[in-house]
Amino acid sequence: MMPGGEHAGDDCAALRAEIDIGTAAENVKTIKKLAGPGVKVFAVVKADAYAHGAVETARAFAAGGAEYLCVATPSEGIELRNAGIKTPVLVLNPARGTELRAIAEYGLTLAADDAGQAEKFAQVSAKLKRPARVHAEIDTGMGRSGILPSRATREILKIAGAPGLEIEGIFTHFSCAEEAIPDFTAGQLKK
């Protein structure tokens, strides 16, 4: 309690955030222009687009030209598909078991963190007569998921050799790219 019986959080009741969805589309257009030809924009809409409304934000990003949308879980991707969003969707978190079926069934893309997982995804996708698209995740320092750099070439070659799998890309997760002195991020990029 603060002096006078007030709670520290009482001032928060007056706070609010206003989101301009049109600006989201313009931001994607600006990023595409700055990045240059051939660069694809992947817009992250996980966690309900960070509480800004996943469906509305995803539509705005797609309208701005984002080639891919990224979600954390299959259920987030399914929400976008159920809303009629056709833009490719990458599920960033590791998926196993029944989640692989949901990813295939809804035409989502798997972030593969090992060859065994990718091969199971290819098998599930084949049974459903669906494409099995993957992006290989390399763990360059985040430490949550991904293929270690020392094993990356070997695992990616296994993934590439799995029947029915299409590797669309390779990515990493920069854990502290917002820091003013980006030494750790530079190390991740080098890996």
Side-chain angles (χ1 to χ4, degrees), residues 91-110:
V91 178
L92 295 170
N93 288 357
R96 302 285 188 261
T98 58
E99 290 181 320
L100 294 175
R101 180 179 173 84
I103 291 170
E105 189 175 334
Y106 283 88
L108 308 174
T109 302
L110 174 71

Side-chain angles (χ1 to χ4, degrees), residues 36 134 178 185:
V134 300
E178 73 284 353
T185 301

Side-chain angles (χ1 to χ4, degrees), residues 7-71:
H7 288 87
D10 286 348
D11 291 335
C12 293
L15 297 178
R16 71 176 200 198
E18 292 186 27
I19 307 303
D20 183 345
I21 291 297
T23 300
E26 288 304 314
N27 287 346
V28 172
K29 289 177 185 175
T30 300
I31 290 166
K32 288 179 72 66
K33 184 177 178 182
L34 292 171
V39 175
K40 293 184 178 182
V41 173
F42 285 60
V44 179
V45 293
K46 67 181 187 171
D48 195 31
Y50 300 98
H52 295 121
V55 171
E56 299 84 359
T57 305
R59 285 187 177 128
F61 285 151
E67 285 85 2
Y68 245 97
L69 301 168
C70 300
V71 296

Side-chain angles (χ1 to χ4, degrees), residues 114-127:
D114 69 59
Q117 172 208 34
E119 289 166 356
K120 287 177 185 164
F121 180 58
Q123 292 166 2
V124 168
S125 297
K127 286 179 186 174

Side-chain angles (χ1 to χ4, degrees), residues 100-188:
L100 294 175
R101 180 179 173 84
I103 291 170
E105 189 175 334
Y106 283 88
L108 308 174
T109 302
L110 174 71
D113 63 355
D114 69 59
Q117 172 208 34
E119 289 166 356
K120 287 177 185 164
F121 180 58
Q123 292 166 2
V124 168
S125 297
K127 286 179 186 174
L128 295 172
K129 296 182 172 52
R130 305 284 294 188
R133 293 182 299 272
V134 300
H135 287 242
E137 179 182 5
I138 311 300
D139 181 2
T140 59
M142 186 68 171
R144 286 198 301 223
S145 61
I147 304 164
L148 293 174
S150 62
R151 297 179 44 230
T153 302
R154 193 170 347 129
E155 288 291 308
I156 291 170
L157 287 173
K158 284 183 190 177
I159 293 169
L165 271 178
E166 178 186 348
I167 297 179
E168 292 184 331
I170 298 171
F171 74 99
T172 194
H173 188 155
F174 293 113
S175 59
C176 53
E178 73 284 353
E179 289 184 358
I181 303 172
D183 292 341
F184 190 79
T185 301
Q188 284 188 272

